[in-house]
Amino acid sequence: MKVAVIGATGQAGSLITQKLVAAGADVTALVRNASRLKVDVPVIEKDIFALTQADLAPFDVIIEAFRAPEGQEIQHLQAMRHLMSLLEGSPTRLIAVGGTSSLYIDATRTKRQITLLM
């Protein structure tokens, strides 16, 4: 199974990418800045809004872990619409990961820990 992780250099995306690689998955990172990658995987260096059908065609699963810039959270909706339009009619599955960097467990702004079950 070929998996692409959009946002593979971010908090959630990098952890997802690392876990997939450790599990032996065939992973490609789709990122804006390949120099920030923490694992050695194939990479497509493009903005999420510049991705094309041809970029996504080789993958069985696309994991979207895109983080919109602060104050521009509407980009989450725009990104999902863009990806859904590119994947319409294809057998590729799209999995969206919600943002984790702003999740706090108390008033002192203690962040939640991320745990992936594979």
Side-chain angles (χ1 to χ4, degrees), residues 17-31:
T17 302
Q18 290 171 16
K19 295 286 186 178
L20 287 168
V21 168
D26 183 359
V27 183
T28 298
L30 279 63
V31 298

Side-chain angles (χ1 to χ4, degrees), residues 18-116:
Q18 290 171 16
K19 295 286 186 178
L20 287 168
V21 168
D26 183 359
V27 183
T28 298
L30 279 63
V31 298
R32 288 182 297 220
N33 184 351
S35 68
R36 295 181 55 212
L37 273 172
K38 297 178 182 178
V39 293
D40 184 22
V41 296
V43 64
I44 296 174
E45 192 172 30
K46 275 190 173 183
D47 183 271
I48 192 170
F49 297 105
L51 291 171
T52 66
Q53 285 180 328
D55 293 326
L56 302 182
F59 303 104
D60 301 300
V61 177
I62 308 290
I63 299 174
E64 184 272 323
F66 165 74
R67 180 182 178 271
E70 190 171 329
Q72 298 178 33
E73 289 80 8
I74 190 68
Q75 286 188 9
H76 283 292
L77 178 60
Q78 294 166 338
M80 288 306 296
R81 285 181 176 157
H82 175 64
L83 294 172
M84 288 173 16
S85 71
L86 295 178
L87 295 171
E88 187 174 355
S90 83
T92 303
R93 291 185 176 199
L94 176 61
I95 299 170
V97 176
T100 60
S101 62
S102 63
L103 299 178
Y104 301 106
I105 60 174
D106 58 30
T108 63
R109 299 173 63 96
T110 303
K111 290 187 178 182
R112 293 189 185 273
Q113 296 296 314
I114 300 172
T115 304
L116 293 178

